[in-house]
Amino acid sequence: MTWNPVVEVECDGERLGVHRGPGSGPALVLAHGLEDSWHTWRPFVDALRGDLPFTPYALDLPWRAGAQYAWVHRTSPATLLRHALALLPEPPALLVGHSFGANAVLELLAEADRPAFQGVVLLAPYFRPPDDPVDWRLFDRELARFRAVIGEGVRLKLGERRHALDPDLVDTMVAKALERVGPLGFVALLRQFITTTDLELGTVPVPTLVISGAADAALAGPRTEAFRRAMPTATVHTRSGGGHFCHLEQAAEVTAEVRRFLTALPTPIEA
């Protein structure tokens, strides 16, 4: 199905864009993860649709693949997300974010002047429990996770082709992706991760569904329980066998869960 550009602007030196997919009904807005693209949402939206009426809008954000991350020095992901939402031709009713995009949504929700949303879905966010000290062990651990997620993303984008490629060639592609992202991409993620424990999540009134994979260290084990305590309005589900990109690898199952959540909202999304 055809997606069309709605707007593209430069804001504080960064490019922001909005693309609209086919459909009608409440605006469902999607925020991609680090080193990803708005295109990643197209199969997700196709799987989600079913008989739900909504108008999908995919944001093109400054942490897209190929980004320079110059914004790290002067603004925050939540601020950039807020600017992008202001470009929409209609108020957002539903907001979906993945990974870095999910945490940008989380930061926005924690702000006192948060926009009004009917419901929020966070896919593979990450969270630092209060008892997880910021030390060199955390730095090394999160750097290893960052490298693993970038590698997972590269292999996922290759699809079935990766099985026909020499493993050393795939490893070289991952290494080049990491080199291109550079330290600033990791700094952006590390800063976002470290500050999650300070977010005022207990004040968030918006119904929120959180989905993560059991194989994804971003929100697993003690982190899951700490997140539940920090954000009582959130329903947190860990999918067995899922990874950081479970919304793509297990699209049918994840979108079915999201669909149930949307239809059960206080003002449900109905056919």
Side-chain angles (χ1 to χ4, degrees), residues 223-246:
R223 291 184 181 184
T224 306
E225 295 309 314
F227 186 91
R228 285 194 176 105
R229 290 191 296 271
M231 191 174 179
T233 56
T235 300
V236 184
H237 181 213
T238 303
R239 295 198 56 82
S240 61
H244 194 68
F245 297 90
C246 64

Side-chain angles (χ1 to χ4, degrees), residues 161-197:
R161 289 184 298 153
R162 70 183 184 275
H163 300 302
L165 295 175
D166 186 299
D168 289 341
L169 176 59
V170 176
D171 289 344
T172 299
M173 295 171 71
V174 172
K176 286 185 176 179
L178 285 165
E179 181 66 22
R180 194 203 55 72
V181 175
L184 275 183
F186 174 62
V187 167
L189 184 142
L190 183 66
R191 179 183 296 172
Q192 193 184 54
F193 168 69
I194 287 173
T195 57
T196 52
T197 194

Side-chain angles (χ1 to χ4, degrees), residues 11-220:
C11 181
D12 193 21
E14 297 295 334
R15 177 165 57 89
L16 299 172
V18 177
H19 290 76
R20 175 176 175 163
S24 61
L28 184 145
V29 185
L30 305 120
H32 62 76
L34 194 80
E35 287 298 301
D36 209 340
S37 162
W38 71 268
H39 292 277
T40 195
W41 293 114
R42 298 175 71 161
F44 178 85
V45 167
D46 290 343
L48 176 64
R49 189 174 304 283
D51 57 0
L52 285 178
F54 61 83
T55 304
Y57 292 94
L59 304 179
D60 183 21
L61 296 158
W63 48 86
R64 67 183 67 83
Q68 298 300 311
Y69 299 100
W71 56 266
V72 170
H73 303 296
R74 60 178 183 267
T75 189
S76 71
T79 299
L80 292 167
L81 177 60
R82 187 184 288 273
H83 289 324
L85 292 173
L87 300 175
L88 293 166
E90 57 183 304
L94 309 163
L95 189 53
V96 181
H98 172 246
S99 189
F100 194 91
N103 278 79
V105 172
L106 203 60
E107 292 173 9
L108 188 60
L109 290 177
E111 294 179 353
D113 60 342
R114 71 181 69 85
F117 301 113
Q118 189 175 330
V120 165
V121 177
L122 305 175
L123 303 168
Y126 33 88
F127 183 75
R128 181 177 70 88
D131 59 355
D132 189 4
V134 180
D135 54 22
W136 289 114
R137 286 176 296 180
L138 177 143
F139 181 93
D140 292 339
R141 185 183 69 224
E142 294 308 310
L143 180 57
R145 184 174 69 83
F146 175 75
R147 287 172 169 160
V149 168
I150 293 295
E152 189 179 347
V154 169
R155 291 178 172 88
L156 186 63
K157 288 173 185 175
L158 287 172
E160 293 302 314
R161 289 184 298 153
R162 70 183 184 275
H163 300 302
L165 295 175
D166 186 299
D168 289 341
L169 176 59
V170 176
D171 289 344
T172 299
M173 295 171 71
V174 172
K176 286 185 176 179
L178 285 165
E179 181 66 22
R180 194 203 55 72
V181 175
L184 275 183
F186 174 62
V187 167
L189 184 142
L190 183 66
R191 179 183 296 172
Q192 193 184 54
F193 168 69
I194 287 173
T195 57
T196 52
T197 194
D198 301 316
L199 298 176
E200 297 291 339
L201 301 179
T203 66
V204 178
V206 184
T208 302
L209 173 65
V210 179
I211 301 176
S212 63
D216 182 15
L219 192 69

